[in-house]
Amino acid sequence: MTDRITASLRRLFDDHRIVFWYDTARDMRGEFDAVDLPGVTKVEIANNEFGLKHRMIRQDPKARFLVFGDGPEPPNAENWLLDLQLATAVFKADQAGIWLGELGLPPQFESVVREHLEFYRSKARVAELKRLLQASDTQSQVRLRMLAVCAGAEGGLDTVIEALLGDLAEGRDDAMRLMTRAGLTEVFWKQVGNAYGYQPSEPDFEDFAIALFQSAYFRALGEDGKLNAEALLVFRRWKNNRHWEAAFETLATRYQGLLKILEDLSQRDFRMLMPVDHFEEIDRHIIRQMVHAMSTQTVSASEVLKWVRERRQSHWYSTYEDIYQAMGFATEFQQALAEANLGMTSPAEGVKRYVTSWYKLDQLYRKFIYHMQKSGHASLLAELYDAVENRYTNSFLLKLNDAWQDQVSGMTDWAIPGYPRQSAFYTEQAAEFRRKDQKVAVIVSDALRFEVAEECLRRIRALNRFDAELKPMISALPSYTQLGMAALLPNKALTLSTEGSGAVLSGGESTQGLTAREKLLSTGRAGDRAKALKAEDVKNMRVDEGKELFRDNDVIYIYHNHIDAIGDKLQTEDQLPKATEDAIEDLTKLVRKLTSANFSNILITADHGFLYQHRALGESDFAIADPQGDEILMRNRRFVIGRGLATTAGMKKFSSANLGLAGDLDVLIPNSINRLRVKGAGSRFVHGGASLQEIVIPVIRVGKQRDADVNQVEVQIIVSGRSQITSGQTAVVFYQAQPVSEKMQARELIAGIYAADGNLISDEHVLQFDFASESAREREMPRKFLLSRDTDKFNNQDVFLKLRERVGKTSHYQDYTSHRFQLKRGITTDFDF
């Protein structure tokens, strides 16, 4: 007790030379005697008022005095020290007075303490209140800060509401019970009523929460709600605050059934719901309606992509991100297919058109399947999946390769003018560096078809100081692993094994296994030091081991096998889309690993491509006729190797010589995308045939630059008309100055309107600027901002629309750019919103 009294007196003496202390109940004599303040003289009132006044004013005009009165303060008319008392300070020695003194509040704030004594019985609450208090606070503002302390909040009423909603979501009511014990409940509901229009006869916080969700939902749709527009603003801020993410999701899930949101949504056009994300059912409704519209092709691709982008602002986007991504890729696929002319007049034209545009359809289909599988909500996409699968198989894959088959059928020898053959890869590509005495690393990724490599190319180019280019190459035929791997080595007289194993010999030498391949690599150029390794071994190397690898070798071949390892198994072939994503990530890491080991010349290529259809195949997808001949040595889904093979309906026959191979074997390739029946083998992922997807393989050349070459897009604020805000909301347009590319990367910013003192006076928007369109208009992003009622305090002043950017991965943000507005609001009403 004495310590608290001493501390309170010390604070009073910081501002006053004389402090009066009246012991009204005559029970504080001991405490007065115990007080010992350096530099303060203790005196008592004992019929000596004039003497005390003379001493304090005349004799010791600079000394500090603690004046103690043993009894209550006399009436003003009888108080001979009243003039001096009014000019100095009076210490209240009871508990309420001590708390007033601790808080540094003047006597007229006594009711703020006495009416809420329970609040002050906690030292921690008193200390927190003192931290929040400001010198200009009124009694009402002090009580509002007490509410904040009860709720564990920091700020105004909106932060109290946020904290209480958090408690409600967790099933706790500690703060509300503390408010009741502290006599603050009436204060709270009066504040809530004035601020948000909530004024029932028996207020209840959960009832308020339900009304808040309901009103925010209807107001977001442009309709009236039980609560006012300020409640919508508070709701938006709370919903968008990452700290309260779990609480919002809990309450939204709890109330969407109670409020019959699903029934309400069934009556609404999904287009009107794009800005709304108050309940998870909204996203599900939008997805279902969009899927149906896309499946029936009653909406345009540009509309779908616009809606998918808008839904990125939804709170539930992370839950349905892969669904929205799948829808985006599906609509791009449908648009690309509608624009595609799948005809060709020569094999060279067919390859050219595939590597310039048609490959994109394979890529978009694969990305659609990947995100559909990853979403965990494939049932929501069922209708769209059927449409995409049918169009991919029948309108693209089959139609394209039927047209391509017309070109293949006219071939005698397997060669396409203008495009390098896989068997010349080492001589024409890898050895090019050796002829300049430069070291080279070659990554051979099993089944890295052209469209997957194109995505990998973009991923590598997005790395700082990396550049890369992609060119096509024509694989050996049949397009299977043993032959493709052999063709990529220094080779001569490649021969298919007559044992039926599929093995390939080069000049009579084995081409299988790292040891055999290393031996052949060392023959590429006299004196070359060569090494063949598995990708996993390189990925696990320490930096010093990588540099040792570079130092001791001239040519290294790294064998990466993820796509084929997953796709070419009946049990896992449906996981092919994910395998390609993982492979791209692997290859990107390998490239970085190699450059950190000083390799500056890196080639990435493949042994073959593949065909992939997610849906199980029907009877018509298999070649009709069984192959016949003198001897069938090997039979695969997409090729047959044997001797004296007969020309078979539905299959193209090549001799070894036609294929540029040594020996006297024949090869049969099913026409188009047909498969042969092979017991126990998968049929959705296949290779070995002559389809464009199987035989057009990539060569990526990777280089490292000296200077940084990755930047982020620039963003500008565009305001039409005068830079004035005259109502409760304002609309602006944000413009992304450059399209996103590999070297010009996306930017995430947070937008909000701030007063000059730094107070946020609007809702905030998290904005993703990742438009890839070349059209400037398609890189515009319009947004509306709701202003809070606190804005009235800043009327006729300048306010600032700020774009802020996160500092690295920290929780801090810095200003990116801003625009000054003049706030010129008249009498504000709820209708301003």
Side-chain angles (χ1 to χ4, degrees), residues 202-251:
E202 295 183 13
D204 171 79
F205 191 75
E206 182 155 31
D207 180 66
F208 169 76
I210 294 169
L212 181 63
F213 270 86
Q214 185 179 47
S215 296
Y217 173 68
F218 286 122
R219 282 188 172 273
L221 291 167
E223 302 170 11
D224 290 336
K226 292 181 180 179
L227 306 184
N228 60 26
E230 184 76 1
L232 173 59
L233 177 60
V234 168
F235 182 86
R236 279 191 186 179
R237 284 188 182 176
W238 173 67
K239 173 178 67 67
N240 296 333
N241 188 326
R242 290 175 182 171
H243 178 73
W244 300 115
E245 183 175 336
F248 165 71
E249 291 173 5
T250 298
L251 294 181

Side-chain angles (χ1 to χ4, degrees), residues 435-485:
R435 288 191 286 272
K436 301 174 186 176
D437 284 326
Q438 297 175 354
K439 300 189 177 192
V440 62
V442 177
I443 303 171
V444 182
S445 184
D446 202 326
L448 182 75
R449 76 176 176 183
F450 188 84
E451 59 89 2
V452 181
E454 191 277 336
E455 185 177 351
C456 184
L457 172 84
R458 286 184 278 119
R459 191 81 62 86
I460 292 170
R461 282 180 51 80
L463 299 173
N464 195 24
R465 299 202 302 274
F466 278 81
D467 201 3
E469 64 174 5
L470 170 64
K471 291 185 177 180
M473 181 167 66
I474 306 303
S475 80
L477 201 64
S479 55
Y480 74 108
T481 298
Q482 291 97 318
L483 180 55
M485 293 295 182

Side-chain angles (χ1 to χ4, degrees), residues 622 635-639 675-683:
F622 294 89
R635 176 184 174 129
N636 184 280
R637 286 289 193 192
R638 290 286 290 159
F639 66 90
R675 278 83 154 162
L676 289 161
R677 291 179 180 82
V678 177
K679 187 176 181 181
S683 59

Side-chain angles (χ1 to χ4, degrees), residues 591-651:
V591 165
R592 300 187 73 163
K593 191 86 172 185
L594 289 169
T595 55
S596 68
N598 296 328
F599 283 96
S600 57
N601 302 312
I602 302 170
L603 299 174
I604 304 174
T605 190
D607 51 349
H608 55 76
F610 60 86
L611 287 169
Y612 178 74
Q613 292 158 265
H614 185 65
R615 179 176 287 161
L617 274 62
E619 189 66 24
S620 62
D621 295 297
F622 294 89
I624 296 172
D626 257 356
Q628 302 294 322
D630 298 337
E631 185 180 14
I632 295 178
L633 299 172
M634 185 177 181
R635 176 184 174 129
N636 184 280
R637 286 289 193 192
R638 290 286 290 159
F639 66 90
V640 178
I641 300 173
R643 283 195 174 92
L645 296 180
T647 301
T648 305
M651 302 182 81

Side-chain angles (χ1 to χ4, degrees), residues 262 281 283-293 380:
L262 188 58
E281 277 298 340
D283 279 82
R284 297 179 69 88
H285 176 74
I286 288 172
I287 289 167
R288 283 189 291 263
Q289 296 300 310
M290 282 181 63
V291 163
H292 179 69
L380 285 174

Side-chain angles (χ1 to χ4, degrees), residues 709-714 738-746:
D709 59 355
V710 171
N711 293 297
Q712 287 181 288
V713 295
E714 298 171 1
Q738 308 89 6
V740 164
S741 65
E742 291 90 351
K743 297 300 181 184
M744 188 62 68
Q745 297 183 353

